[in-house]
Amino acid sequence: RERVMTGAPGEGIVPGRSCGTCMLCCKVFRIEEAGTQAGEWCSHCVPGKGCKIYETRPEPCRVFFCQWLFQPGLGPEWKPEKSKIVLSVELNGARLAAHVDTSTPGAWRRSPYYEVLKRWSAEGLSQKRQVSVWIGQRCIVILPDREIDLGVVGPGEVVMSTAKPGASGMEYGAVKLTRDEAEA
């Protein structure tokens, strides 16, 4: 999965916000260069303390900043170490992904997170933006009227949103495809 790498350190970060002791991004993402899978702590991470190889950390770790750092509308309840959710804009802005700590897989269903994810889904449809929840490699696409659990999405697979005319307007959905199927 492609994560948007947002800005340089200090660029656009909401005043007063920092990672501090939060290191959830070191757990929820697959970091190929560090040999970690989504849902497991990076071997270089000391939770609550920092990265053992901070000065030489892999490029994806150098350039990633979660949306809580950049979005002033996200209150303190959205800080990943509290919410257990790392928000990431992906696929050139076409996806807002909520990467959930595998230790608390239902965190995204708690209030206010669930209601806000549903609202973002409804708002994103007109902009062809997908809202998805990732728990390790499992993907759940959030739609205004339902969720679509696509199960585990492997390294050679992609998640695509769908839209087709229906009896009462557009019907939205999501499918899991191989990269070859998606390119065809």
Side-chain angles (χ1 to χ4, degrees):
R1 299 186 306 267
E2 175 213 353
R3 291 174 284 163
V4 166
M5 307 309 164
T6 45
E11 183 180 307
I13 292 178
V14 174
R17 290 193 186 171
S18 68
C19 298
T21 57
C22 181
M23 303 181 69
L24 194 56
C25 61
C26 299
K27 182 179 184 185
V28 298
F29 292 115
R30 178 178 176 265
I31 305 167
E32 188 174 324
E33 296 84 347
T36 62
Q37 296 300 314
E40 65 182 45
W41 284 107
C42 173
S43 62
H44 303 295
C45 176
V46 180
K49 297 200 187 257
C51 178
K52 294 186 279 188
I53 61 165
Y54 186 80
E55 295 302 321
T56 59
R57 67 195 185 282
E59 185 68 15
C61 302
R62 291 178 177 274
V63 298
F64 176 78
F65 299 94
C66 75
Q67 290 301 294
W68 180 79
L69 290 170
F70 286 90
Q71 301 300 325
L74 295 175
E77 72 278 6
W78 282 95
K79 186 171 184 179
E81 69 185 345
K82 179 172 177 135
S83 66
K84 305 303 181 194
I85 301 167
V86 177
L87 294 175
S88 175
V89 175
E90 304 174 354
L91 303 173
N92 297 319
R95 174 187 296 149
L96 174 66
H99 296 272
V100 179
D101 184 349
T102 54
S103 299
T104 53
W108 65 281
R109 289 197 177 274
R110 294 190 321 240
S111 188
Y113 315 114
Y114 183 75
E115 296 85 356
V116 173
L117 290 168
K118 290 293 244 182
R119 187 183 81 227
W120 287 340
S121 173
E123 293 168 353
L125 287 179
S126 64
Q127 300 163 354
K128 297 183 179 177
R129 186 173 303 127
Q130 179 190 95
V131 175
S132 59
V133 171
W134 293 83
I135 306 164
Q137 297 177 340
R138 177 181 168 207
C139 178
I140 302 165
V141 175
I142 307 295
L143 296 170
D145 61 339
R146 68 189 191 286
E147 293 112 32
I148 300 174
D149 189 337
L150 296 171
V152 171
V153 177
E157 297 176 311
V158 296
V159 174
M160 304 270 305
S161 292
T162 61
K164 63 181 180 182
S168 58
M170 291 301 286
E171 294 179 2
Y172 296 96
V175 294
K176 177 174 60 171
L177 302 170
T178 66
R179 290 193 192 283
D180 291 339
E181 291 171 330
E183 291 174 5

